[in-house]
Amino acid sequence: MRFARRLDAVPPYLFAELERKIEQMQADGIDVISLGIGDPDLPTPDAVVEAMAREVHDPTTHRYPSNRGSQIFREAGAEFYRRRFGVQIDAETEVLPVLGGKEGVAHLCLACLDPGDVCLSPDPGYPPYTSGPVFSGAEVHYLPLEEERGFVPDLDAVPEEVWARANLLFLNYPNNPTGAVAPEGFFDHAVALARRHGVIVVHDSSYSEICFDGYRAPSLLETSGAKEVGVEILSLSKGWNMTGWRTGLMAGNAEVLERYRHLKTNLDSGMFDALQRATAVALLDAADFPREMSFVYERRRDLVVEALRAIGLDVEPPRATPYIWTRVPAGYSSGSFAETVLERAYVVVSPGSAYGPSGEGFFRISLTVADDRLEEAVRRMETSLQSGILSR
Ligand SMILES: Cc1ncc(COP(=O)(O)O)c(C=O)c1O
C-alpha cells in the first residue's frame, strides 16, 4: 500500500504519544495520573444535557442538517456575542457552526491557504496551527512566544517578505499552552498589520470563558475593523465541559465564513440539529456556567502553584486557561523533565517542546483533573521530586 506523503510532513499527534505511554504503564499495573491533556473532568451543564435528550426525541432533528447552521444556532451565537462582548454579529451571514475548534482551525487552512502561501502561527502553539497549513501545502512561519514579552508575538519582527507571502495569522488568547492573556492594544495592532498586508486573522478563542481573579477575556471582534480582516472561533469544549460533543462556532468576516462553508459542503453535512439546539441552550441559558468552572480551576491553580513553588520552581499563576506553563528546573530539557516526573511520580506533564521549538525548556500542567487526583499528583510530585530534582 502507498499513502499520501502529507501525513509524514507533520509529527505524530502529541497526545497520541502521551496516551500510548500512559497505556503502557497502566498495563504494567501502575496508577498513572495524567496532567497532560486539557479534557475537563466535570460534566456538561444539566440544562444542556436535558436539551439534547429532549431534542433527540424530535424527529425533525434526524435529517441532514445544513452547513449554514440552523436559525436557532446562529441567533444564539449572535446573542451570546452581544451579551458577553457587546459585539453585533449578523446571524444570517456572520456566524456558522464548527464541529469543535480543531475542525474549524484545520478546515480554515484548507479554505484560505494555497501551496506556497505562508501561515503565521504562534510557537509554542496548538498543534493544528502547524498541521493545518502543512496539509494545505503552505509554509509555517513561527511567531515565537517569549516569556520576556508575556508570551505575545512580536508582529513587528515578521520580515516584510514573509508578510508579503502570508495569508493567514493564527492568534490564541487566552493562550494554550502558556496561559497568557492578550495585553491591551495587541488585537488593535494585529488587525492594523493584517489590514496593511492583506492577511486573514483567525483568533482561536477556545479559552475565553476560563478566566481567574476577576479577569474577563476580550473577543477579537471587539476590536474596531476586526470583522473586515478576521474571524474568531469559540469552542464550547472547555468552558461548558463539552469536549466530547464537538461543538463551537465561527464568527466574523462573512467572506471568510462563506469560503469555509463552501469547503465544508464538500467534506461533511454539518452539525446534528439536536446538538445545534443544545448548543444554543448552552450559549443562552448556561452562559454563566463557565464562570463556575473558572472558580474550580482557580482553586486548583492555587493548589498546584503552591506545590510547584514548594518544590522550588518559580511559577507565575496564570490569569486564564486551565493550564500552568512554567520552566523546567536547571539541567533538564522539557523531555527529560517530563520523563523524570513520569518515572518518579507516575504523573504525566506535557513537555513544552511538543508545542513547538520555543516551548523547549518549559512544561505544561493541565488542571482538568478531579480534585482528589490533582491533590494526589501534587503530593507525589512534592515527595518524589523535592529530594533530588533540583540538585541534579
Ligand atoms: C488552543 C486550542 N484551540 C482549539 C482546541 C480544540 O478545541 P475543540 O475541542 O473545540 O476542538 C484546543 C483544545 O485543546 C485548544 O487548546
Side-chain angles (χ1 to χ4, degrees), residues 162-220:
V162 173
W163 276 118
R165 291 177 53 215
N167 205 39
L168 212 54
L169 163 64
F170 278 113
L171 300 175
N172 164 223
Y173 291 96
N175 183 259
N176 175 21
T178 68
V181 301
E184 193 108 355
F186 174 70
F187 286 152
D188 296 272
H189 190 50
V191 165
L193 285 172
R195 277 173 99 114
R196 188 185 313 155
H197 297 287
V199 168
I200 298 163
V201 182
V202 180
H203 182 237
D204 179 346
S205 198
S206 292
Y207 296 95
S208 63
E209 304 312 298
I210 302 291
C211 299
F212 315 130
D213 309 324
Y215 175 73
R216 296 279 274 162
S219 160
L220 171 78

Side-chain angles (χ1 to χ4, degrees), residues 15 38 99-103 105 126 129 172 174-176 204 206-207 235-238 242-243 246-248 323 364:
F15 299 137
L99 307 178
K102 187 189 227 174
E103 182 270 309
V105 165
Y126 182 53
Y129 306 151
N172 164 223
N175 183 259
N176 175 21
D204 179 346
S206 292
Y207 296 95
S235 166
L236 279 86
S237 284
K238 311 296 165 126
M242 291 178 74
T243 47
R246 315 310 304 137
T247 183
Y323 304 121
R364 193 194 78 172

Side-chain angles (χ1 to χ4, degrees), residues 62-130:
H62 296 177
R63 309 186 65 191
Y64 279 124
S66 139
N67 282 98
R68 267 195 82 205
S70 64
Q71 188 86 10
I72 291 173
F73 180 96
R74 285 183 277 107
E75 282 179 1
E79 182 60 15
F80 179 82
Y81 263 75
R82 191 185 67 75
R83 290 184 194 167
R84 167 68 174 90
F85 302 113
V87 167
Q88 293 299 327
I89 297 285
D90 179 355
E92 290 302 309
T93 58
E94 294 180 337
V95 57
L96 286 176
V98 295
L99 307 178
K102 187 189 227 174
E103 182 270 309
V105 165
H107 285 142
L108 262 179
C109 293
L110 279 183
C112 301
L113 293 169
D114 278 322
D117 282 346
V118 168
C119 179
L120 302 171
S121 300
D123 159 36
Y126 182 53
Y129 306 151
T130 297

Side-chain angles (χ1 to χ4, degrees), residues 133 149 187 214 237 255 270 290 386:
R149 293 184 49 87
F187 286 152
S237 284
E255 244 182 298
Q386 204 154 27

Side-chain angles (χ1 to χ4, degrees), residues 214-234:
Y215 175 73
R216 296 279 274 162
S219 160
L220 171 78
L221 302 179
E222 290 173 42
T223 307
S224 157
K227 251 198 244 173
E228 285 156 45
V229 294
V231 295
E232 181 159 271
I233 298 174
L234 180 91

Side-chain angles (χ1 to χ4, degrees), residues 28 36 60-61 81 86 97 113 134 193 196 199 212 258 278 285 290 315 317 324 327-328 340 352 370 391:
D28 295 341
T60 65
T61 67
Y81 263 75
L113 293 169
V134 167
L193 285 172
R196 188 185 313 155
V199 168
F212 315 130
E258 180 49 26
D285 301 344
V315 185
I324 291 180
R327 280 192 185 280
V328 299
T340 303
S391 56

Side-chain angles (χ1 to χ4, degrees), residues 278-336:
T279 302
V281 168
L283 291 171
L284 298 179
D285 301 344
D288 288 335
F289 182 83
R291 236 195 256 233
E292 291 167 35
M293 280 311 302
S294 297
F295 287 123
V296 172
Y297 292 129
E298 190 175 313
R299 195 184 66 235
R300 293 177 181 175
R301 173 200 67 172
D302 293 343
L303 174 88
V304 173
V305 165
E306 197 184 319
L308 293 176
R309 284 180 174 166
I311 297 168
L313 297 176
D314 184 18
V315 185
E316 208 34 60
R319 293 171 75 197
T321 78
Y323 304 121
I324 291 180
W325 175 257
T326 194
R327 280 192 185 280
V328 299
Y332 286 88
S333 66
S334 291
S336 69

